[in-house]
Each structure stands twice: as structure tokens, then as C-alpha cells.
Amino acid sequence: MWSIIVHGGAKTIEQEDASANRAGCRAALEAGAEILKNGGSSIDAVEAAVRVFENDPTFNAGYGSALNIDGEVEMCAALMEGTSFNVGAVAVAKGVCNPISVAKAMLYEEPVLIAGDGARAFAAEAGVRLCHPDAMIPKPKRSAKEERGHDTVGCIALDERGRLATAVSTGGLEGAPIGRIGDSPQPGCGFYCDDNIGGVVFSGDGEQIARMILASRVMQALEDLSPDQAVEAALAHIERIGGEAGGIVLAPDGKFGWGHTSEDFAVAIASSASPDPKVYLRKGEASHG
Ligand code: ASP
């Protein structure tokens, strides 16, 4: 049995962007599902899915990331596996093409999170592809004032050996201060993973998600609630302090859950029981196969 779920961010999707969001989610899902179908690991599957998102300027991750107040790209990414609780994460990373691959290269290293110049130095040493920092900004150059919404991306996969993995990648928030780090690379905030309980990934207002430790709340709620109910219960805490968020969950039995307080939240799912991808732009929308 295998299962995979991806999301393209808690945000508002304008009509003209709907098909790009659907296509991007489907392509990311398919890249991960292909690995799982062939008996590959959940770690490889989530990396493959997130790399597709990072290479697609529709999403705020990798190429096409949000710009900070100085008009620069600073990216965060994390990958976690739920068997031995290894975490690899990078923050304020510049000049790497696929931050999720840097996070994966860090997975079995002692540090959980490396930020700034250290992240690029680690990537260089690990042989992960580097690029000029400006190469992550699509031409024509966007302005730092352009509104991007929350389009952090995420993925959770369960492989045939029952191993869960979660991955998240983001360009952060548009116009953010230099060096700002949101929830995405922080375990228990933007993501978490435990083979016995489930995996979770969030997108949205990073400060609020971190303040309310949303991923941690989902993990606790999953002991008693269904995946959908666990996300809803966590999102209720965001509503206490304001802000928008959306989250995805995958349980060890392959069941999916997701929810959002943002207007839209593009999600795609597939599993060995139902391998044809289903793509949704928001909860409650009829699926698009
Ligand atoms: N949560 C991300 C952050 O605060 C932003 C997003 O979801 O787009 O960095």
C-alpha cells in the first residue's frame, strides 16, 4: 500500500491561475507517485514531488520564490522521516536551485537546521546543485511589492514499507525582513512526521503557525481524531489569533486529511487503492481527475 498528498499553498487562486495550479499539483503528485509505485521510498517521493513545485514559478518555492524587502530570494525547506525522526532543514538559503534537495542531503546529519551562508556551503559540500541567487527570480523581474499570497508547497508520502516522510519548501513571505524565518523549516510548526501517528505539513502565515505550533497540535489530535478533524482542530487555534493557514495530513493507514482557512488550497492525492490523481483547488470542490 502507498499514498501521497501534495499541496500548492494556502492562498486565493485567481481564475486565470487555476489551471496552472492544478497542473503543477498534478505534476508534483505524479513525480512522487511514480517512485512509490515502483517500490521507492517515501523520502525519495516527497523530494521528487517538491522539486517539481520548486521548478515551477507558479508556486512560491525555489524558482519564482517571494522576494524579501531587498528584492532577494531567501528560501526555507525541510524534509523529515517518521521512522527514526531524522530532520534536514535549511533556512534563508540563497543560490541553491532546489532547497528541498539540500534538506534531504542534511537528513542524516547531526544538525537539524542550517541557515544562511552555511546552508549554501553545506549544499556545495554535499554536491547539491548551486546557482546564482538571481537565477531564482523569473524574468521579467518581479517587484518586492507584488502580492504573492501563501504558496509554500508541501508533500507527505507513505511507502510500501509503511514509512512516512514529509517535505515543505517556501520562498517565505513577500517583502519580509532580511533573514526572516517562518514556520516552514521548524519541526512541530510547519511540519512533522511519525510512522505510528501520521505526517503533517502546513502553509500560511508563518509567525502565527509557529506561535500556535500547529503541526505539533495535529500530531496530538491524531491520537483521537480523524486526519480531517485533526487539521480542523489545529486550524481553530489559528482563528484565535488571526491569520490564514492550510494543512495536509496523511495517516499510517493511508487516509488523507486537509483543511484551510484561506479561500483556496490546491491539493492533489493518489494511492495504490486509487492511483488516478485527484486534484482540488479547495476543500469541498468536486475532484478533477
Ligand atoms: N508559511 C510560509 C512562511 O511563513 C509562507 C507560506 O506558506 O507561503 O514562510
Side-chain angles (χ1 to χ4, degrees), residues 169-288:
S169 183
T170 187
L173 298 181
E174 200 71 40
I178 296 159
R180 176 260 180 198
I181 300 171
D183 60 303
S184 302
Q186 302 191 56
C189 299
F191 69 94
Y192 203 75
C193 193
D194 182 331
D195 285 359
N196 294 329
I197 300 175
V200 57
V201 180
F202 274 97
S203 166
D205 291 312
E207 282 70 14
Q208 269 74 337
I209 295 170
R211 283 162 65 201
M212 292 315 245
I213 49 165
L214 283 204
S216 159
R217 288 184 192 273
V218 167
M219 297 307 286
Q220 281 168 21
L222 278 172
E223 313 251 4
D224 303 313
L225 302 178
S226 72
D228 266 344
Q229 289 169 334
V231 178
E232 288 306 328
L235 290 173
H237 289 278
I238 277 285
E239 283 169 344
R240 285 167 62 195
I241 57 170
E244 279 185 346
I248 55 174
V249 169
L250 182 55
D253 63 0
K255 288 214 179 69
F256 304 108
W258 74 93
H260 52 104
T261 62
S262 52
E263 193 158 321
D264 302 308
F265 187 57
V267 165
I269 55 172
S271 65
S272 46
S274 184
D276 288 340
K278 292 189 179 58
V279 187
Y280 306 83
L281 287 189
R282 65 196 64 86
K283 188 81 180 177
E285 184 197 49
S287 83
H288 290 246

